[in-house]
Amino acid sequence: RFFFIQLALFLNYRNAPIKYCNPCAFLFDYVFDKSWIYLVCVRKKRYYKSNVIATIMIAGYAIRKLSGNSYMQLYQGDCAMESERKINENIKYKLADAMKQCMKEAPVEKITVKEIVEACGVTRQTFYRNFQDKYDLINWYFDKILLESFEHMGEGKTVYEGLVNKFYYIQKEKLFFKAAFKNDDQNCLRDHDFELILAFYTHQIEDRTKRKMPQHLQFQLEMYCQGSIYMTVQWVLGYRKDTPEELARFLTDAMPQELAEVFHGLGLS
């Protein structure tokens, strides 16, 4: 036992400074780049009560020698990747803001990438590193604000309040929503919106009932969500002049009776 302790002391003495906290304790500092690992070994009556700490120190020394700085390099690599991701995300949002500025002066089809990068203050190479074209930028930002609209929707205590919150948020970003839906030739964005709202209401019901939704009720919900998306798109494109409250009331009143009763029973209406 004493041999293991002495070996541990020797190995640590060669590779890390030893600080004496008090006459009965040794504090070993393992230097692992900028991190410190502290191991304390207490000695009483000229012998160590256990060789567990010594074994840990020896194992730690061996791992440290074998691995070198690989763990720290891996950690630093992850940090660098995360930092680069945040930088790219910020650039994308700046490009989206520049796109919104351009959309106030011209329709989407007449806006060029050159105008977007000039408004943003970046190069064309930076733009094409992040997006294929201006429509790719629109779709990316649409996805971001659509998800955020559902976060606002989730803040409402009832279906009506949730819809009002969502429509007010859409109204703030109406220019972008309008451009996205107007240029959605393949209905991909509408389908995406449908999938999100269907998942939102399904979770609301199943989370409270603690059981899977019956098939006939699922059919009603899908039909209602499809109609809800269609009327929302009509509103965004300017074919309906309702206020957010009026549109939300129309949609909640149009809900199938059985589905409305389920929401009412769950305290969502």
Side-chain angles (χ1 to χ4, degrees):
R1 185 180 299 168
F2 183 75
F3 168 77
F4 281 113
I5 296 298
Q6 292 301 317
L7 179 59
L9 291 174
F10 173 72
L11 294 176
N12 283 281
Y13 178 76
R14 292 174 56 199
N15 293 277
I18 299 178
K19 298 177 183 178
Y20 299 96
C21 297
N22 55 59
C24 297
F26 298 102
L27 179 63
F28 301 98
D29 296 340
Y30 268 106
V31 182
F32 194 72
D33 194 62
K34 295 182 180 179
S35 299
W36 295 86
I37 300 176
Y38 298 101
L39 297 175
V40 179
C41 183
V42 180
R43 182 181 182 182
K44 293 183 180 180
K45 296 181 180 179
R46 297 186 179 180
Y47 69 93
Y48 290 84
K49 296 182 66 176
S50 174
N51 62 4
V52 173
I53 295 179
T55 304
I56 293 173
M57 289 190 292
I58 295 172
Y61 170 80
I63 293 172
R64 184 162 156 266
K65 293 298 288 184
L66 290 172
S67 64
N69 290 325
S70 59
Y71 295 116
M72 184 55 63
Q73 290 170 355
L74 182 61
Y75 171 74
Q76 291 174 339
D78 289 341
C79 290
M81 290 176 62
E82 179 64 16
S83 177
E84 184 178 356
R85 187 194 66 78
K86 289 181 178 179
I87 292 173
N88 290 337
E89 192 83 351
N90 289 335
I91 291 174
K92 288 181 178 181
Y93 274 109
K94 288 180 180 179
L95 286 167
D97 288 338
M99 182 68 178
K100 284 193 283 187
Q101 292 178 22
C102 295
M103 288 165 63
K104 293 178 181 178
E105 302 174 0
V108 174
E109 55 270 17
K110 292 187 178 181
I111 298 173
T112 64
V113 172
K114 180 181 178 182
E115 292 172 336
I116 298 172
V117 297
E118 286 179 352
C120 185
V122 299
T123 63
R124 289 173 64 90
Q125 290 81 358
T126 299
F127 179 91
Y128 286 114
R129 275 200 300 268
N130 291 280
F131 301 107
Q132 296 179 0
D133 51 34
K134 60 186 178 183
Y135 296 106
D136 188 29
L137 166 59
I138 290 174
N139 291 344
W140 174 84
Y141 189 65
F142 174 84
D143 190 58
K144 293 292 183 181
I145 58 180
L146 182 62
L147 290 172
E148 190 161 341
S149 73
F150 277 95
E151 290 181 9
H152 287 279
M153 191 173 179
E155 294 172 357
K157 295 180 180 179
T158 64
V159 174
Y160 170 77
E161 289 180 7
L163 287 171
V164 171
N165 291 343
K166 180 184 179 182
F167 294 146
Y168 266 112
Y169 178 78
I170 290 177
Q171 200 170 53
K172 289 196 303 183
E173 296 282 357
K174 200 167 187 177
L175 198 62
F176 230 98
F177 273 96
K178 186 175 182 179
F181 283 131
K182 188 176 180 181
N183 293 280
D184 185 26
D185 297 331
Q186 304 299 321
N187 291 328
C188 295
L189 301 180
R190 290 173 174 82
D191 291 343
H192 184 43
D193 196 1
F194 166 73
E195 291 169 0
L196 288 176
I197 195 170
L198 178 63
F200 177 83
Y201 284 135
T202 300
H203 174 74
Q204 292 269 1
I205 295 173
E206 294 184 348
D207 186 57
R208 285 170 169 78
T209 60
K210 305 301 181 183
R211 64 176 182 271
K212 190 172 179 61
M213 193 186 309
Q215 190 173 3
H216 73 283
L217 202 60
Q218 183 74 24
F219 177 85
Q220 293 183 30
L221 182 60
E222 289 185 22
M223 184 177 65
Y224 171 73
C225 290
Q226 286 285 9
S228 177
I229 296 302
Y230 175 80
M231 298 311 297
T232 300
V233 172
Q234 294 299 300
W235 178 68
V236 169
L237 294 178
Y239 300 126
R240 296 192 61 86
K241 306 300 181 182
D242 311 305
T243 65
E245 290 85 358
E246 288 172 341
L247 184 59
R249 179 56 61 193
F250 288 146
L251 290 177
T252 52
D253 289 346
M255 187 179 293
Q257 183 177 353
E258 185 177 5
L259 187 62
E261 289 174 356
V262 170
F263 277 114
H264 181 73
L266 297 175
L268 295 172
S269 66

